[in-house]
Amino acid sequence: MISLFLRDLKLSVRAGGGALIGVLFFMTVVAVVPFAVGPDLNLLSRIGPAILWIGALLASLLGLDRLFQAEREDGSLDLMLMQETPLVLTVLVKCLAHWSASGLPLVIAAPLLGLFMNTSELAIGATMLTLLVGTPAITLIGAAGAAVAVTLPRGGLLVSILVLPLAIPVLIFGVSATYAAVEDPAPFLPPFLILMAITLFFAVIGPLAAAAALRSSSD
Amino acid sequence: MPICLVVEGLSAKRGEDLIFHDISFVLRAGEALVVTGANGSGKSTLLRVLAGLLAAESGSVRIDGAAAEIGHPRELCHYLGHRNAMKHELTVAENLSFWKSFMGDSPGGAGKDLEDATEAVGLGGISHLPFGYLSAGQQRRMAMAKLLVAFRPVWILDEPTAALDANADRLFAELVTGHLGAGGIVVAATHQPLGLEARELRMTGFAGVGGMV
Amino acid sequence: MSEQSLAIRKFSDLANPTRFLGLAERLLPWFSGLTALLFAVGLYLCFTTEGDYQQGETVRIMYVHVPAAWLSMMCYTVMALSALGTLVWRHPLADVSARAAAPIGACFTFLALVTGSLWGKPMWGTWWVWDARLTSVFVLFLMYLGLIALNRAMDDPGKAAKVSAILILVGFVNIPIIKFSVEWWNTLHQPASVMRLDGPKIDPEFLRPLLIMAVAFSMLFFTLHIAAMRNEIWRRRVTSMRRQAARNVGAVGTGMEGPNA
């Protein structure tokens, strides 16, 4: 299993891997927002955490469709389906590797972009923390979408359409927790704990659904 | 106890269409079966059903006499399909060592180490190169090296010698003979003769019953 | 034969698409008639009962809106049950049912959204409010559309069946979470300033037409669902006949090229 993790990590870092592109996309999306809403720093600092979250959500969906499709195209998926190792575990490890290569860089890039948005230090810290906890949930539920669309030649867009509605709770609690940390009356912990619970929940149903979909779409 | 691949009354569908119907055979340790037939006659489908990648419409595949309890017969099988299951971005050594550790060995045997395996397919000394740099024939041979690094008693090979020259054909025949000599089982689908002593299953296609020759 | 296996056999008798087609042919006229009758009565009551002293004539929108919203949820439940039928019991009609229900569900959801919006304009002064209910219905609508898109993108019905069944179930498990989180989000952003339908107790005066309309809508759903299932079965038969025809040409080897080789 460690070998699978390392291999996927290597693949996404080598030429053609999606890790860098995800971060670039994230930065571009966030950089474009001020052009749309205007350069008012007060407004930007108010919506900054929300913009960061939306950027991260879209960037995590990017490249998700290749998670199983690349394996299917070169025949590796067949071999993974045949092993004694439970498929659910294989899927989970692939998700973790995908997140480490494309989700973690987003979390690391977030503070820099937060500065562009004139976000306060506390808000930046809160955004980072919620992204760290929340983005794995997007990858995990996204794996189910990616597995469902694995046989479709241009499934990329479809994966986003299928996964985004399911990812709404992650966005809601991620952003709520961030704002709760900054604004006084609302407590930070309840939404943050719920966010964690959603991540754990998706860590169960995402790989389960993905494994079932991969088995049934083998042909 | 030597292993034994038992196939009983196997039929399979692709979509709505019945591809083959009621195929039965028994392969004992050291025996090989060559599946022949025209394009679209269901060779690949049969092999994928044997490898547990497609569900059979009816009938069963089982492996008797395994050295340990197994969950599914596919766990004792190597499957070499049309595609090589190797990543072009990684070096040959990275590819092979990944599969070696990911697949592990079936009970009752051990895989060769990387150098021995690449030597055995006649491509020693280039395992540090990215897989994508290799020619189509070399890539196919490296995919065969994958059969050697992790031990599986049953090999299921779909058009194994496509893209190979006569030399490599001979080398492949040696590999298979070696595997059979060690008590393994081989099922291979092919257009061209493999140069093997083997039984033959001719697929006639369109729900025609395959006949053993 | 034990009682249980007999029940299973009856169940699988119904699974036979030909039997289902026969049943559908017999039921459809009755269902359609009953639906029309219920709608006639329901709509008559809708327009003859008095308007609300507060909401005026717009209260009549509710008679369409509320049943449509109920049906949008019931339809997804039917799809989830069908998905279970596909994955667990491998019932051959289950996937036909799930596939046929998706567009109907999307239509009801759309109807609920449109009527809600029409009602919102005079009542709230705006076409759309990010109210918790409206938002979750909107998300449900998006999920329906995603499922339809997935079904359309896959050409092999057998494979599409299992895969969309998995997605339907994942969605079904998620609906309560989405609902809960949207409610949380709504109270965070705008505290209860929105007037809710369930706020005031509903007068029996309004309840009668509402219930009749709800039954009428349900019957409409069953009628449409059975008809759509019938169409789906016919469509599959046509497809497999076409394939057969294409194959026969190849087998005879006349060398004639099909129109789309």
Side-chain angles (χ1 to χ4, degrees):
Chain A
M1 279 299 114
I2 294 170
S3 58
L4 177 63
F5 183 82
L6 292 176
R7 161 185 177 262
D8 275 20
L9 219 52
K10 268 185 212 156
L11 277 173
S12 49
V13 174
R14 296 270 162 92
L20 192 65
I21 296 175
V23 181
L24 281 179
F25 180 78
F26 181 40
M27 293 173 88
T28 318
V29 167
V30 173
V32 161
V33 169
F35 296 112
V37 303
D40 177 6
L41 280 184
N42 287 331
L43 177 67
L44 284 180
S45 80
R46 197 150 51 80
I47 63 171
I51 300 298
L52 289 179
W53 252 97
I54 289 178
L57 177 68
L58 295 180
S60 326
L61 289 176
L62 201 74
L64 207 54
D65 59 312
R66 299 295 297 164
L67 186 59
F68 302 114
Q69 215 171 39
E71 303 287 355
R72 186 186 138 86
E73 274 164 15
D74 67 7
S76 303
L77 187 61
D78 288 340
L79 302 193
M80 289 177 181
L81 287 170
M82 286 173 69
Q83 303 313 311
E84 199 178 343
T85 325
L87 189 57
V88 180
L89 200 61
T90 308
V91 170
L92 186 66
V93 170
K94 279 189 71 67
C95 288
L96 290 181
H98 184 264
W99 179 78
S100 311
S102 63
L104 201 55
L106 299 182
V107 178
I108 295 168
L112 181 70
L113 294 169
L115 289 179
F116 283 131
M117 292 274 141
N118 192 31
T119 318
S120 70
E121 287 80 1
L122 182 63
I124 288 178
T127 311
M128 255 187 106
L129 194 59
T130 51
L131 281 177
L132 184 68
V133 174
T135 44
I138 300 167
T139 306
L140 289 162
I141 197 68
V148 159
V150 71
T151 53
L152 302 175
R154 274 193 300 274
L157 211 53
L158 193 62
V159 172
S160 304
I161 293 172
L162 296 176
V163 169
L164 266 178
L166 302 178
I168 287 175
V170 181
L171 185 65
I172 288 177
F173 288 106
V175 176
S176 302
T178 312
Y179 278 113
V182 185
E183 289 160 11
D184 247 346
F188 170 72
L189 263 188
F192 187 69
L193 290 180
I194 295 174
L195 184 66
M196 279 178 155
I198 290 176
T199 303
L200 291 177
F201 181 64
F202 282 179
V204 177
I205 63 163
L208 269 180
L214 287 178
R215 275 239 181 275
S216 64
S217 62
S218 154
D219 65 347
Chain B
M1 178 180 165
I3 64 157
C4 183
L5 176 70
V6 182
V7 172
E8 281 171 349
L10 209 60
S11 7
K13 270 186 178 176
R14 272 261 159 108
E16 299 289 303
D17 311 328
L18 197 63
I19 300 291
F20 56 80
H21 179 64
D22 199 19
I23 288 183
S24 304
F25 58 82
V26 176
L27 287 176
R28 285 177 196 83
E31 286 185 328
L33 178 70
V34 173
V35 184
T36 58
N39 276 339
S41 61
K43 301 192 294 287
S44 294
T45 308
L46 173 63
L47 294 195
R48 290 185 70 83
V49 172
L50 291 181
L53 294 166
L54 277 179
E57 189 64 21
S58 64
S60 68
V61 178
R62 66 172 200 274
I63 293 178
D64 290 343
E69 197 69 24
I70 48 163
H72 193 284
R74 65 175 172 241
E75 289 163 17
L76 296 181
C77 298
H78 257 308
Y79 174 75
L80 179 63
H82 294 276
R83 291 159 300 188
N84 291 327
M86 304 280 260
K87 294 286 176 199
H88 286 225
E89 297 88 344
L90 300 180
T91 66
V92 172
E94 282 170 333
N95 268 306
L96 287 176
S97 64
F98 161 67
W99 284 119
K100 185 176 173 63
S101 73
F102 183 76
M103 293 171 102
D105 291 322
S106 290
K112 297 184 177 181
D113 64 32
L114 294 192
E115 283 310 313
D116 291 352
T118 47
E119 290 288 346
V121 294
L123 291 175
I126 60 165
S127 62
H128 60 284
L129 293 178
F131 186 70
Y133 289 11
L134 271 51
S135 73
Q138 289 171 324
Q139 290 187 346
R140 198 65 181 159
R141 272 148 76 172
M142 281 305 183
M144 284 173 188
K146 199 174 66 215
L147 304 175
L148 302 173
V149 294
F151 171 76
R152 292 283 187 277
V154 180
W155 288 5
I156 298 171
L157 314 171
D158 198 353
E159 301 287 353
T161 52
L164 289 186
D165 54 23
N167 242 346
D169 265 358
R170 256 200 310 285
L171 191 133
F172 170 72
E174 273 169 33
L175 285 186
V176 170
T177 318
H179 180 63
L180 294 175
I185 289 176
V186 173
V187 181
T190 179
H191 284 309
Q192 59 232 82
L194 292 174
L196 290 176
E197 286 290 314
R199 285 193 284 162
E200 189 180 336
L201 176 69
R202 196 183 299 279
M203 305 289 286
T204 49
F206 294 147
V209 180
M212 287 285 252
V213 177
Chain C
M1 276 282 136
S2 70
E3 210 167 292
Q4 193 191 4
S5 65
L6 198 69
I8 287 172
R9 219 165 25 168
K10 279 221 167 129
F11 194 52
S12 50
D13 269 356
L14 195 66
N16 183 343
T18 313
R19 264 173 175 272
F20 173 80
L21 285 178
L23 190 70
E25 287 310 320
R26 261 181 291 141
L27 283 184
L28 267 180
W30 291 99
F31 272 46
S32 329
L34 195 59
T35 310
L37 192 71
L38 280 165
F39 264 108
V41 175
L43 286 173
Y44 174 76
L45 281 178
C46 290
F47 285 105
T48 48
T49 47
E50 281 172 43
D52 187 67
Y53 70 95
Q54 213 179 1
Q55 303 185 0
E57 295 298 315
T58 50
V59 75
R60 304 195 200 287
I61 295 175
M62 194 181 76
Y63 299 135
V64 177
H65 172 74
V66 174
W70 282 344
L71 259 291
S72 68
M73 284 180 276
M74 192 187 91
C75 188
Y76 203 94
T77 314
V78 168
M79 282 167 68
L81 288 178
S82 306
L84 269 184
T86 307
L87 292 176
V88 180
W89 299 293
R90 298 171 197 287
H91 196 284
L93 276 179
D95 104 71
V96 175
S97 156
R99 207 181 158 117
I104 306 176
C107 286
F108 278 122
T109 316
F110 185 67
L111 188 64
L113 284 173
V114 168
T115 49
S117 181
L118 284 175
W119 183 76
K121 182 66 183 168
M123 298 317 296
W124 297 331
T126 169
W127 292 111
W128 185 259
V129 171
W130 287 94
D131 161 64
R133 279 176 184 230
L134 266 69
T135 313
S136 16
V137 172
F138 186 56
V139 174
L140 184 65
F141 184 56
L142 290 180
M143 283 165 65
Y144 272 124
L145 293 190
L147 283 168
I148 294 171
L150 180 70
N151 265 332
R152 292 179 67 100
M154 297 193 138
D155 43 4
D156 176 0
K159 218 189 296 168
K162 278 190 197 147
V163 159
S164 48
I166 292 166
L167 201 68
I168 290 171
L169 287 180
V170 170
F172 194 66
V173 175
N174 264 290
I175 282 176
I177 300 179
I178 293 175
K179 179 97 179 110
F180 164 69
S181 53
V182 165
E183 257 156 31
W184 171 288
W185 162 81
N186 182 257
T187 49
L188 183 85
H189 282 249
Q190 33 177 308
S193 63
V194 177
M195 192 169 66
R196 281 156 182 276
L197 263 183
D198 58 356
K201 278 270 174 279
I202 295 180
D203 198 83
E205 174 78 17
F206 303 122
L207 200 58
R208 203 160 4 119
L210 184 61
L211 283 181
I212 292 177
M213 284 301 278
V215 177
F217 265 84
S218 310
M219 284 311 293
L220 178 65
F221 168 73
F222 288 123
T223 312
L224 290 176
H225 191 213
I226 290 176
M229 280 173 76
R230 183 196 59 186
N231 294 353
E232 179 67 25
I233 292 173
W234 283 124
R235 190 176 302 127
R236 285 184 190 185
R237 292 204 172 164
V238 169
T239 313
S240 85
M241 279 174 179
R242 283 185 166 166
R243 273 170 205 243
Q244 190 78 41
R247 199 188 310 150
N248 286 344
V249 171
V252 175
T254 51
M256 300 261 285
E257 294 292 323
N260 41 7

